[in-house]
Amino acid sequence: MCATSCNRRNDVQLLVQVGGEACSHFRLREFENPEGLAMIHATTLDSLERVRRDLCAMAGEEVWVIITDAVRTQADLERLAARLGWADQGGLVARESKHLARFGGIAVDIVAVVKRTRERVPQKTLGEVCRRHFDWVKDDYQDGHVHGDNRDRGK
Ligand SMILES: [Zn+2]
């Protein structure tokens, strides 16, 4: 539909000061939903940069933090629930998902990969690091991703 005109859609480098240092390792398009709508809360960007910084320090080399899901519309959520089920019916999708746009872009799902080897950082390791920098973390998903959100700071 917009294969050429959308190439630079949300192609915007995001910048945040972390401990007096300017950090800019994420682009707005990484936070897009399937329609290209993107939203990211300032505190969540800050948390992501801190998680990346800690992972790089631990590994002693560059680690990529990859966003697998960020903001969702109600329609996105319903599509996901059709596949994974609603949490109150034994599934995986919370009806009050912090990914919903009305929470302001506070939630992200991530994985982390060592750049040089393309090796996945173990889910529990990533979860531990996320707990230092996000208000709320869930790290027991079967596909290996970690969910982090700033439900307190994002209010
Ligand atoms: Zn999530």
Side-chain angles (χ1 to χ4, degrees):
M1 192 170 71
C2 55
T4 52
S5 63
C6 291
N7 278 348
R8 300 211 61 209
R9 179 181 74 191
N10 290 333
D11 186 15
V12 178
Q13 201 77 36
L14 303 172
L15 179 85
V16 64
Q17 298 287 334
V18 176
E21 203 183 313
C23 291
S24 186
H25 298 98
F26 297 92
R27 284 178 176 269
L28 187 57
R29 68 174 171 219
E30 296 176 70
F31 301 93
E32 285 184 351
N33 83 342
E35 278 115 41
L37 300 173
M39 187 187 291
I40 178 71
H41 196 277
T43 66
T44 301
L45 179 64
D46 179 274
S47 300
L48 283 168
E49 286 285 4
R50 288 172 191 270
V51 166
R52 181 192 173 277
R53 180 195 62 187
D54 285 10
L55 291 171
C56 291
M58 284 164 69
E61 60 183 310
E62 191 167 356
V63 177
W64 286 331
V65 172
I66 298 165
I67 316 296
T68 61
D69 208 355
V71 70
R72 292 174 193 153
T73 62
Q74 187 64 38
D76 293 332
L77 196 66
E78 278 162 24
R79 261 195 306 276
L80 201 64
R83 198 152 53 81
L84 303 172
W86 292 109
D88 54 18
Q89 295 169 353
L92 290 173
V93 181
R95 289 188 195 270
E96 289 293 291
S97 170
K98 298 297 185 259
H99 289 276
L100 284 169
R102 66 185 159 88
F103 291 105
I106 59 170
V108 284
D109 293 340
I110 59 177
V111 295
V113 172
V114 178
K115 180 188 172 189
R116 183 178 52 86
T117 59
R118 300 294 197 270
E119 212 174 293
R120 209 36 119 84
V121 173
Q123 185 184 37
K124 291 293 165 192
T125 306
L126 179 58
E128 267 170 46
V129 174
C130 283
R131 278 190 184 86
R132 299 177 195 158
H133 302 300
F134 283 93
D135 292 341
W136 199 84
V137 172
K138 185 164 158 61
D139 61 355
D140 59 357
Y141 295 99
Q142 286 224 326
D143 69 356
H145 84 264
V146 173
H147 167 104
D149 68 61
N150 283 339
R151 56 187 62 188
D152 303 322
R153 270 174 281 176
K155 271 177 193 153

